[in-house]
Amino acid sequence: KQEVTQIPAALSVPEGENLVLNCSFTDSAIYNLQWFRQDPGKGLTSLLLIQSSQREQTSGRLNASLDKSSGRSTLYIAASQPGDSATYLCAVRRKGGATNKLIFGTGTLLAVQP
Amino acid sequence: GAGVSQSPSNKVTEKGKDVELRCDPISGHTALYWYRQSLGQGLEFLIYFQGNSAPDKSGLPSDRFSAERTGGSVSTLTIQRTQQEDSAVYLCASSWASGIRETQYFGPGTRLLVL
């Protein structure tokens, strides 16, 4: 059974700091891994999607890496801003089965202090 | 519309009542998913539709939960005889393809509180 965990559960940093969020998964048989952000009272917004054959993806101040063999992904946020405050979720899409369902981690609640 | 919409945005109901939650996917998206996000449980898959059929219902927690999709578009998630443990945010997502490069687009969710 695929299990996805995220560390830390919560993080508070001052504005301008670089930070790293961690995601680990138990089964390396995945199609891809995706990072989302969730703002209070809103749905999920996709940030980055890394295919299993890729090592990293970048979008602006965000960089996500994937090490499938060790079952780990990191989301690096450079020069954090108060607007980055949100819950960050990683999710994997596993191979096999009749569905493309995502298996989510429990999330990291990020607070960036001005 | 531009994105996935869900209604109602909030629902408060009494234990034992039935509720219906609605999802309007992005036009043209053939795949539709329901997920549930509850405290302490994280975000869990409930059911997946491809067109109007549901090849994967494995996440539905009990037979009180059912879902249907009509016309390859709107979907309704029904919870019968609601219990307090059903309180959660119910999220709907849709995608245009089921290939390995599929990206799911999420709605804002319905916040259900069962008293």
Side-chain angles (χ1 to χ4, degrees):
Chain A
K1 178 184 176 183
Q2 177 71 272
E3 293 184 358
V4 183
T5 56
Q6 291 186 245
I7 295 173
L11 180 64
S12 180
V13 300
E15 181 177 4
E17 273 205 4
N18 303 324
L19 59 98
V20 175
L21 307 181
N22 297 290
C23 172
S24 61
F25 48 96
T26 55
D27 187 347
S28 63
I30 63 170
Y31 281 124
N32 55 50
L33 182 144
Q34 200 163 359
W35 283 93
F36 294 87
R37 80 173 267 168
Q38 184 175 32
D39 295 281
K42 297 187 178 180
L44 277 64
T45 300
S46 179
L47 298 174
L48 291 165
L49 185 151
I50 312 176
Q51 299 297 340
S52 61
S53 59
Q54 297 176 320
R55 298 285 292 185
E56 66 178 330
Q57 283 286 335
T58 298
S59 176
R61 295 183 293 108
L62 305 180
N63 176 277
S65 68
L66 174 64
D67 184 341
K68 197 175 67 168
S69 61
S70 66
R72 294 180 182 178
S73 176
T74 61
L75 179 66
Y76 175 83
I77 302 177
S80 59
Q81 302 172 356
D84 295 331
S85 298
T87 297
Y88 289 80
L89 296 159
C90 69
V92 298
R93 190 177 148 216
R94 65 177 183 84
K95 290 184 176 179
T99 185
N100 302 314
K101 67 183 179 185
L102 298 175
I103 301 170
F104 284 85
T106 49
T108 294
L109 177 60
L110 173 65
V112 180
Q113 308 300 330
Chain B
V4 179
S5 60
Q6 292 185 247
S7 61
S9 55
N10 293 280
K11 177 71 176 179
V12 180
T13 190
E14 293 179 350
K15 177 181 174 182
K17 295 286 181 69
D18 297 352
V19 296
E20 284 190 352
L21 312 180
R22 177 187 169 108
C23 172
D24 283 88
I26 294 173
S27 178
H29 280 194
T30 58
L32 187 147
Y33 304 80
W34 284 97
Y35 295 87
R36 178 170 74 171
Q37 187 174 33
S38 50
L39 284 176
Q41 295 294 326
L43 217 158
E44 303 172 298
F45 166 80
L46 296 178
I47 187 171
Y48 157 62
F49 285 93
Q50 181 61 42
N52 291 335
S53 63
D56 190 345
K57 306 178 183 179
S58 63
L60 295 178
S62 75
D63 58 7
R64 296 186 296 105
F65 287 72
S66 63
E68 65 175 11
R69 188 179 186 196
T70 56
S73 181
V74 172
S75 177
T76 302
L77 177 68
T78 300
I79 309 173
Q80 296 179 311
R81 305 180 303 281
T82 52
Q83 303 294 313
Q84 289 181 332
E85 61 262 30
D86 299 335
S87 297
V89 177
Y90 289 82
L91 292 164
C92 174
S94 71
S95 67
W96 68 270
S98 59
I100 62 173
R101 297 188 180 277
E102 174 205 46
T103 297
Q104 297 179 23
Y105 296 86
F106 283 79
T110 292
R111 282 146 197 81
L112 174 66
L113 178 61
V114 182
L115 300 177

